[in-house]
Amino acid sequence: MAKTDYKIKWITRTALCTALVLLAQMIGKLLPAGAVIAGPFSLNQLITGSLVNLVLILAAASAGVWSGVTCGVISSILAALLGMTPVPFIVPAIALGNAVIAAAAWFFFTRFNGIGIRAAGVVLGAAVKCAVLWLTVPTLLGILPDIPPKQVQMLSVMFSWPQFVTAMIGGMLALIVYPALCRSFAGR
C-alpha cells in the first residue's frame, strides 16, 4: 500500500472512530439521568463508557496506536467543549486514561492472535485505565477551588471502579467485533 493510501486510511478511520465516540457520548446524554446502578454509577455511564472503550480499542487495534490515542484525546477535548464532561479540568486525566487503554489494545491485538492473550490485554488495559483515573481525577479535583466536597466524592467514585467495568465490557465487545473488522478490512 502506498504511503499516501495509508495516511488517508489512517485519517479516515481515526476521524470515523472519533465521531463514533462523540455519538456514543451524545446518545448517553439522552438516557435518563436517574437510572442509577450503584452509587454514582449510572446506566448512562455503563452504556456510554462501554461504547467509548469499544471504539477506542477498535481504533487502536485496526488503525494503530496513534489512531486510538488521537481518538481518545480529541474526543475528550470535544466532549468538554460540548458540555459532556462534568468538570472540564479533568479532561487531561480522561485523555490519559483513554490513551492507556488504546495503547494496551494496540499492543495485545496487533501482536497476538489468540483470544486468551488478547483477553488478558483487555483486562490489563482496563485495570491500568481504571488505576490512572482513580489516581488522577481525585488529585485534580483536590487542587481545584470551588468544587463542593460532595461533587468531588461523587466524581472520585465515578472515575474509579466503574471505569474498570466499562473498559471490560468495551474490551469484551471488541474481542467479538475485531475478527470481523479484520476480515472486512482485508477485502479492501
Side-chain angles (χ1 to χ4, degrees):
M1 174 182 337
K3 192 168 187 148
T4 304
D5 289 344
Y6 174 79
K7 287 180 181 180
I8 290 169
K9 284 184 179 184
W10 186 90
I11 290 168
T12 303
R13 289 179 186 173
T14 303
L16 176 63
C17 288
T18 303
L20 287 171
V21 167
L22 287 172
L23 178 64
Q25 292 171 329
M26 289 178 179
I27 289 170
K29 285 293 182 187
L30 299 175
L31 296 171
V36 174
I37 296 171
F41 188 40
S42 66
L43 181 63
N44 173 317
Q45 185 180 11
L46 177 69
I47 293 171
T48 304
S50 299
L51 290 173
V52 166
N53 285 303
L54 166 66
V55 175
L56 292 175
I57 290 168
L58 291 177
S62 66
V65 67
W66 292 112
S67 179
V69 169
T70 300
C71 178
V73 170
I74 290 174
S75 63
S76 301
I77 294 167
L78 290 175
L81 293 173
L82 295 171
M84 292 186 269
T85 304
V87 178
F89 296 106
I90 63 173
V91 167
I94 296 169
L96 180 59
N98 288 344
V100 164
I101 198 162
W106 169 78
F107 182 80
F108 283 94
F109 278 66
T110 60
R111 287 187 170 51
F112 304 103
N113 287 325
I115 193 155
I117 192 77
R118 287 180 178 167
V122 165
V123 173
L124 179 66
V128 175
K129 177 179 182 173
C130 176
V132 164
L133 290 169
W134 207 332
L135 294 171
T136 58
V137 169
T139 302
L140 286 173
L141 292 173
I143 61 174
L144 295 173
D146 302 328
I147 297 184
K150 198 168 197 148
Q151 186 178 13
V152 170
Q153 181 184 6
M154 182 212 42
L155 290 170
S156 295
V157 173
M158 194 163 127
F159 285 96
S160 64
W161 64 267
Q163 296 298 319
F164 181 76
V165 172
T166 60
M168 284 297 298
I169 292 170
M172 293 303 143
L173 290 171
L175 287 170
I176 296 166
V177 173
Y178 183 67
L181 190 64
C182 287
R183 285 190 300 274
S184 170
F185 288 157
R188 295 176 187 200

